[in-house]
Amino acid sequence: MSTIDLRSDTVTQPTAEMKAAMVAAPLGDDVMGEDPTVNALEARVAAILGKEAAVFTCTATQANQIAVRLHTRPGDEILIHRTGHIGLYEAGAPAAISGVSMRQLDGDRGLLDVATLEALPWPDDPHFTRTRLLCLENTTNIAGGRVYPLERMQTLGQWAGQQGLRSHLDGARFFNATVAARYQPAQIAECVDTVTLCFSKGLGCPMGAILAGSAEAMHQARRVRKMLGGGMRQAGMMAAAARYALDHHIDALAHDHSHARQLANGLAQLSPVAIDTAAVETNLVFFDLDPDWGTPATLISQLAELGVKVGGIYQQRMRAATHRDVTTEQIEIAVEAFAKVLR
């Protein structure tokens, strides 16, 4: 029995063509700035995002934490949504690595707005922490895979600049947002000072992420990357996978979004499931399990026996993620498995 893995889009496997590109990549020492494939990737991403430079990193978490370190000093404060990955799923790194605190805020669907933020920066007074960095997430993760409207991103970026704040975008699923909202990458990137992109989720690479921003910021980012143990040598093999994904895998994200809606519509027919199908904008499907039926742990276990893997989030909340390794037919099989267990 084959397994249909809907736990995360991080489980994607590199294609044969991507592996071939990795094997064929010309290599050098990236710490010395001599890996031609890494250099080409960084230049290309910077151009796509309209930024001056970019730095290849091991993971999106590493890229995010480099950005936090760049933009803050110990004792500073970050403004971030309470579901933001930087504050929730990065092991307390802002405090441990950069010595900063986070004000974790509410916001509809994981999205912040100026109305929520405008009274929050502390005054320039020695009694208070210095509010220094605004962190946004597009698409949102735990808040539901939602997409920031371009106009809201522009307004937030303008507000941050007016307040003297720096701004960073955690774009772990950045291209899911651009495909769903049909805006250009540079339109979003110009709203913030730095941007993280992840290659190992919907784009299907075995590892890798990138941070983009000004040339001066990226010069400093290389020092921080080295400090965090991210100095890689013949990293061109991983960069080649990312370059291949940029060429061949972005448009395919639309299929993942379609499969997510297909899955959500199927789950909506099952009485123990509460789901807002209209809220499914990209490849993440969140739903709540009726406690009278049982626990997510029980559902996860019974689905696994039928060859379907899903994940629990908290309490009765659950998540399924579609990705390039899941077909339309497999979504149909997954819905049938849910129905068999839940009816």
Side-chain angles (χ1 to χ4, degrees), residues 81-147:
H81 193 276
R82 62 181 176 82
T83 62
H85 194 278
I86 290 173
L88 196 61
Y89 283 114
E90 299 190 7
I97 295 172
S98 298
V100 298
S101 59
M102 291 175 290
R103 208 168 343 164
Q104 294 173 295
L105 309 168
D106 289 325
D108 179 46
R109 306 176 301 159
L111 309 179
L112 296 176
D113 58 53
V114 170
T116 301
L117 295 169
E118 57 186 357
L120 294 181
W122 293 108
D124 185 9
D125 184 298
H127 292 89
F128 300 114
T129 184
R130 184 178 69 160
T131 306
R132 181 58 178 161
L133 177 63
L134 173 65
C135 288
L136 305 172
E137 189 178 53
N138 194 26
T139 67
T140 64
N141 181 2
I142 298 305
R146 311 306 290 270
V147 178

Side-chain angles (χ1 to χ4, degrees), residues 11 62 98 108 122-123 151 189 198 238 245 286 302 307 311:
V11 303
Q62 186 178 75
S98 298
D108 179 46
W122 293 108
E151 296 76 14
C198 183
M238 296 300 110
F286 287 81
Q302 293 186 17

Side-chain angles (χ1 to χ4, degrees), residues 25 27-28 35 50 65 72 105 107 138 143 186 203 207 231 233 267 271 328:
L27 304 177
D35 191 301
Q65 293 310 318
T72 65
L105 309 168
N138 194 26
L203 295 183
M207 65 165 283
R233 301 301 176 177
L267 292 175
S271 58
T328 302

